[in-house]
Amino acid sequence: VRAAAHRTAVREIEALIKQAQRQDPEAGHYLDRRPDASSAMAEADACICDISAVAMDWLPHGKPLLITRPVEPGAEIQRNGITAAVPLLDAADAGGVPGILDGLLARPIPPAQRALVEHHFGDTSPGAATRRFIAAVEQLLEAG
């Protein structure tokens, strides 16, 4: 929020959320100010974000992900990895986000997205990462 343009954009987004809350209090619109995004990710049905670590953090949740395509013409978008596995949202299509999200929520997670989770995270079932960590530590202790 140090940059004036960013601060202005945040205020505009906050105003839109407040307006949506007034128009439809039952819709569940809210602004989450918690410093840890993991709780919000666990609660959310879908994620819309830029090409960042947030997208990778979202993947293991196994829920729909929509990545915004940079508007900067010179921005590089890799043709493999996460941008090939999930849909990209163009700024021109932002008005259609509710319908796009409805479509994503109505379909199973794409196989390419599931494969990306398996490739980067392996088994994401509860306790799997802890078991892998303990096994790695035990292996190191045995070797040392």
Side-chain angles (χ1 to χ4, degrees), residues 28 30 32 34 37-48 58 61-64 105:
Y30 72 100
D32 188 341
R34 292 177 286 190
S38 62
S39 296
M41 286 185 176
E43 295 169 4
D45 296 321
C47 178
I48 303 172
W58 180 261
H61 291 274
K63 301 176 193 177
L105 290 166

Side-chain angles (χ1 to χ4, degrees), residues 16-27 29:
L16 288 170
I17 292 170
K18 287 178 184 175
Q19 179 183 2
Q21 289 170 329
R22 286 189 301 273
Q23 288 177 343
D24 189 357
E26 303 300 317
H29 300 291

Side-chain angles (χ1 to χ4, degrees), residues 4-119:
H6 183 264
R7 187 172 42 255
T8 299
V10 168
R11 288 181 181 149
E12 289 174 6
I13 291 168
E14 290 173 346
L16 288 170
I17 292 170
K18 287 178 184 175
Q19 179 183 2
Q21 289 170 329
R22 286 189 301 273
Q23 288 177 343
D24 189 357
E26 303 300 317
H29 300 291
Y30 72 100
L31 179 60
D32 188 341
R33 294 187 182 276
R34 292 177 286 190
D36 179 14
S38 62
S39 296
M41 286 185 176
E43 295 169 4
D45 296 321
C47 178
I48 303 172
C49 65
D50 60 355
I51 301 171
S52 67
V54 171
M56 290 302 290
D57 289 346
W58 180 261
L59 277 178
H61 291 274
K63 301 176 193 177
L65 173 62
L66 185 59
I67 295 180
T68 57
R69 184 185 307 274
V71 294
E72 172 61 40
E76 181 180 340
I77 299 176
Q78 296 181 348
R79 301 211 184 274
N80 55 15
I82 197 166
T83 53
V86 302
L88 297 178
L89 176 67
D90 291 310
D93 298 328
V97 164
I100 293 168
L101 283 176
D102 285 344
L104 289 175
L105 290 166
R107 294 187 299 272
I109 298 301
Q113 183 177 336
R114 287 195 314 273
L116 202 56
V117 171
E118 178 65 30
H119 173 76

